[in-house]
Amino acid sequence: MSNATMAAAVIAGPKGARVERVARPEPGPNTVRVKLEGCGLCGSNLPVWEGREWFKYPMQPGAPGHEGWGVIDAVGSGVTGFKVGDRVATLSSAAYAEYDVVNTDSAVLLPPSLAGKPFPGEPLGCAMNIFRRSDIQPGQTVAIIGIGFLGALVTRLAANAGARVIAISRRPYALELARAYGATECIPMDDHHKIIDRVKSLTNGAFCERVIEVVGEQWPLDLAGELTRERGKLIVAGYHQDGPRQVNMWLWNWRGLDVINAHERDPKVYVEGIRMAVDAVASGKLDPFPLFTHRFGLDELNKAFETMRSRPEGFLKALITV
C-alpha cells in the first residue's frame, strides 16, 4: 500500500477552493492512474463554486473537475489497450488534482501529433456531440446564438459541413472570432426584433433550418424559436442551470419544430465524442487552441472561477494547469 500523497483542490465552501495534500489514488482492476497535466474549467462548475443550498461541502478532492488530460503513470490489473506513458484525455469528476484514477472506458488515447498541447476532452467531445445531434446538411442556413468556446467550435464544424452560418453574440470580439471560424454573417445580440428582422432578410423570410442556442438563458432560448423555420430543428446546447424556463409552445407547435436537447448523459456517447474530437483536431479540421485564452495554477482556482464569472474582454476558455 502506497503512502504517497498529492495536491488536490478542495472546494470547502462557497468561493472557498483550497489546495490540500491528500492520499494519491491507486489504480484498481480495469483502471489507470493519470498524472494530470491540466483540466478545463467548465461553466457548469460555477454554481458549485458560488454555492447553492443543495450542495454539500467540502467537496471530494479534485471535484468537480471533469475535463482532465495527462499521462498514464500506473495501470491496474486486467488493463488492455493502455500502458504507462500513454497520453490520454479523461472523463471523470476529480481532475482538479495532480493525479486521477479513471476506468479504461473513460480514457481516450491522444496521438503523438498532439504532444505538448492541452486537450480537455470532455468539452471538445461535447461540441462534436452537439454537432452530430444537430444533423447539419450542406447548403443549410444555421444560426448559432452565443459565441463562446462551444459556439466557436460548433461554428467551425457547421461551416466545415457546408452550411451557411449566422453567428449571434453580445461581444464584438466574439463575433470577430466567429467570422474567423467560418461564420458568413455576424449579428450583435442587442435587440430582439432587429435580430429577427435581419435573419428574416438574410433567409428571404424563411428563417433557418437549424438554430443552436449556446447561451443557457431565457432570452436566447426565446430568440432561437423565432429564428427556426417551419419543420426546422432547434438545438438547445446552452446549459440552463438557474431555474425553470418558459417556451412559446404556440410558435414551436405552429412551425412544427423538432426541439433537441443536445446535452449528452450516456458516458459511452460522451467518450465517442471525445474520440471524434481527437480525430478532428489531429487532422486539422478543428483548431481549439486559440480558444484557450486563460491559464491558472491549481492554487488559483478561486481566481479562475471569478474570471470565468466576470468574463473579461477576450475570455473564452480557462485551463487549470497542474
Side-chain angles (χ1 to χ4, degrees):
M1 182 69 68
S2 171
N3 293 320
T5 64
M6 68 172 185
V10 175
I11 300 179
K15 301 181 183 178
R18 65 194 184 203
V19 176
E20 296 183 2
R21 299 299 303 185
V22 300
R24 187 181 68 184
E26 299 297 329
N30 300 312
T31 67
V32 297
R33 186 174 65 203
V34 179
K35 189 178 189 304
L36 291 161
E37 297 174 4
C39 179
L41 197 71
C42 180
S44 69
N45 293 167
L46 193 57
V48 178
W49 176 77
E50 291 176 327
R52 299 289 191 274
E53 62 183 13
W54 53 86
F55 293 129
K56 294 182 179 180
Y57 300 97
M59 295 284 177
Q60 292 296 312
H66 58 272
E67 301 181 1
W69 75 91
V71 177
I72 294 175
D73 84 318
V75 299
S77 62
V79 170
T80 60
F82 295 94
K83 63 183 185 302
V84 171
D86 284 342
R87 196 161 180 260
V88 294
T90 64
L91 184 64
S92 76
S93 60
Y96 293 143
E98 289 184 317
Y99 293 86
D100 195 9
V101 168
V102 300
N103 292 325
T104 54
D105 58 6
S106 296
V108 176
L109 287 169
L110 298 177
S113 61
L114 297 178
K117 296 182 178 180
F119 202 92
E122 190 273 349
L124 292 167
C126 185
M128 301 303 297
N129 284 324
I130 291 167
F131 172 70
R132 180 164 52 178
R133 292 288 298 278
S134 300
D135 186 31
I136 293 169
Q137 304 298 321
Q140 289 180 336
T141 298
V142 178
I144 299 178
I145 304 175
I147 305 298
F149 179 73
L150 272 179
L153 292 175
V154 177
T155 295
R156 171 52 66 197
L157 292 169
N160 287 352
R164 178 176 67 149
V165 179
I166 301 172
I168 303 167
S169 195
R170 292 185 178 93
R171 300 176 293 175
Y173 77 87
L175 293 176
E176 293 175 9
L177 174 69
R179 196 175 296 280
Y181 271 63
T184 55
E185 302 287 344
C186 295
I187 302 174
M189 190 173 171
D190 53 10
D191 184 284
H192 187 82
H193 296 291
K194 285 183 180 179
I195 296 168
I196 295 170
D197 290 344
R198 178 61 176 153
V199 174
K200 186 176 182 179
S201 175
L202 289 170
T203 58
N204 296 317
F207 293 108
C208 305
E209 286 96 342
R210 304 287 184 269
V211 177
I212 306 173
E213 183 272 312
V214 204
V215 180
E217 296 176 1
Q218 181 68 59
W219 175 36
L221 184 62
D222 294 339
L223 182 63
E226 296 275 9
L227 301 184
T228 310
R229 70 169 52 184
E230 291 181 2
R231 300 200 68 190
K233 295 183 188 295
L234 191 169
I235 298 93
V236 181
Y239 192 60
H240 292 264
Q241 59 186 347
D242 60 344
R245 291 287 181 257
Q246 292 182 330
V247 301
N248 186 344
M249 199 64 221
W250 174 85
L251 177 68
W252 289 13
N253 187 234
W254 180 256
R255 292 191 184 176
L257 305 185
D258 290 340
V259 180
I260 299 166
N261 189 329
H263 282 280
E264 190 52 60
R265 287 295 172 261
D266 185 337
K268 292 181 180 178
V269 178
Y270 245 130
V271 171
E272 180 58 29
I274 296 174
R275 292 195 182 97
M276 292 169 61
V278 170
D279 291 343
V281 175
S283 68
K285 295 178 181 178
L286 192 64
D287 182 9
F289 303 111
L291 308 179
F292 302 135
T293 55
H294 290 66
R295 287 170 170 78
F296 301 90
L298 194 61
D299 61 346
E300 297 178 297
L301 195 58
N302 290 318
K303 181 179 179 181
F305 275 119
E306 183 56 48
T307 302
M308 181 170 62
R309 183 170 68 169
S310 62
R311 300 184 72 83
E313 182 75 11
F315 180 90
L316 289 166
K317 180 73 172 177
L319 304 178
I320 305 300
T321 56
V322 181

